[in-house]
């Protein structure tokens, strides 16, 4: 059996090494990452944050998450869909978020698309790409964790076909990991069982 990359935390429990790299990550790793997320607004938030993370470290986004929530009306799809050009200008000047014009425009455009979907449609679509958990072996090493999968590529294509922007296969897989569609906590990680 291969050795594990899991590392002992301050409490002695083994964790994915990235989950101990900064204090901000410990709670996120232990209590959020890999736990099932449902609800259109909640999934829209994660989709947006993963898009903003593209090309950056996740810690950059995590440390600004409350700023993003304030700036984007708590990621309520119906509210963001009504944002105007004045809101776009406000967002581009907001130091509490990542001021990337393309990502901001995609966030607003995606809300407008999703506002026309029926209740639960985004949740159903995203979760329809969750692979069978029994078919996935628990990773022991970080190198066992893929960056993209067939499912994330298919999810990306399905979202793009429906008009959703800024969601490539890597972003789609990060979304799947964060929202519990896959459990990529290492086999020896204390958070693996809680994540399901």
């Amino acid at each position: 059996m291969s050795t594990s990359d899991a590392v002992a935390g301050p409490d002695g429990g083994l964790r994915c090494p990235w989950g101990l790299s900064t204090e901000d990550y410990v709670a996120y790793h232990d209590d959020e990452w890999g736990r099932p997320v449902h609800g259109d607004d909640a999934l829209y938030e994660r989709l947006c944050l993963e898009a903003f993370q593209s090309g950056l470290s996740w810690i950059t986004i995590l440390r600004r998450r409350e700023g993003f929530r304030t700036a984007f009306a708590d990621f309520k799809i119906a509210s963001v869909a009504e944002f105007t050009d004045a809101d776009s200008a406000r967002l581009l000047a907001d130091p509490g978020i990542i001021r990337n014009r393309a990502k901001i425009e995609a966030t607003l455009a995606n809300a407008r698309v999703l506002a026309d979907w029926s209740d639960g449609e985004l949740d159903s679509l995203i979760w329809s790409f969750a692979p069978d958990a029994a078919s996935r072996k628990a990773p022991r090493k970080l190198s066992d964790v893929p960056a993209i999968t067939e499912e994330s590529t298919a999810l990306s294509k399905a979202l793009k076909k429906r008009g959703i922007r800024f969601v490539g296969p890597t972003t789609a897989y990060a979304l799947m990991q964060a929202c519990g569609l896959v459990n990529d906590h290492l086999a020896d990680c204390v958070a693996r069982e809680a994540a399901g």
Side-chain angles (χ1 to χ4, degrees):
M1 184 188 319
S2 64
T3 58
S4 174
D5 283 346
V7 176
D11 61 0
L14 295 176
R15 288 176 175 79
C16 304
W18 68 265
L20 294 169
S21 60
T22 72
E23 286 185 28
D24 298 304
Y25 270 152
V26 177
Y28 177 72
H29 168 272
D30 287 3
D31 302 327
E32 282 189 70
W33 192 76
R35 305 276 179 109
V37 173
H38 285 283
D40 293 341
D41 290 337
L43 287 166
Y44 168 67
E45 175 181 358
R46 298 298 181 93
L47 187 65
C48 295
L49 294 178
E50 293 295 348
F52 272 102
Q53 185 272 328
S54 180
L56 302 170
S57 167
W58 177 247
I59 196 66
T60 302
I61 304 303
L62 188 61
R63 289 178 174 161
R64 287 181 169 88
R65 185 162 57 170
E66 290 310 315
F68 275 106
R69 287 175 172 165
T70 299
F72 288 99
D74 287 324
F75 291 98
K76 301 293 184 201
I77 293 168
S79 298
V80 179
E82 295 183 3
F83 277 20
T84 64
D85 289 344
D87 289 301
S88 294
R90 170 183 58 81
L91 292 165
L92 283 167
D94 189 337
I97 66 169
I98 303 302
R99 294 174 284 183
N100 178 296
R101 182 179 302 276
K103 294 175 182 180
I104 290 170
E105 288 175 358
T107 299
L108 303 186
N110 290 346
R112 292 178 191 121
V113 168
L114 293 170
D116 289 335
W117 291 21
S118 53
D119 188 42
E121 192 171 351
L122 178 62
D123 189 306
S124 295
L125 176 68
I126 289 174
W127 276 91
S128 73
F129 290 91
D132 176 15
S135 70
R136 293 176 51 89
K137 189 174 177 182
R140 297 197 59 74
K141 302 177 87 44
L142 293 176
S143 60
D144 296 336
V145 179
I148 62 171
T149 61
E150 288 181 18
E151 293 88 358
S152 75
T153 300
L155 173 57
S156 171
K157 286 180 182 175
L159 288 168
K160 287 179 180 179
K161 187 175 182 182
R162 299 285 305 271
I164 303 300
R165 294 164 40 184
F166 233 104
V167 59
T170 303
T171 298
Y173 193 67
L175 175 78
M176 293 171 77
Q177 291 175 303
C179 296
L181 282 77
V182 296
N183 185 350
D184 278 343
H185 284 285
L186 297 179
D188 297 331
C189 177
V190 296
R192 182 169 178 83
E193 189 176 330

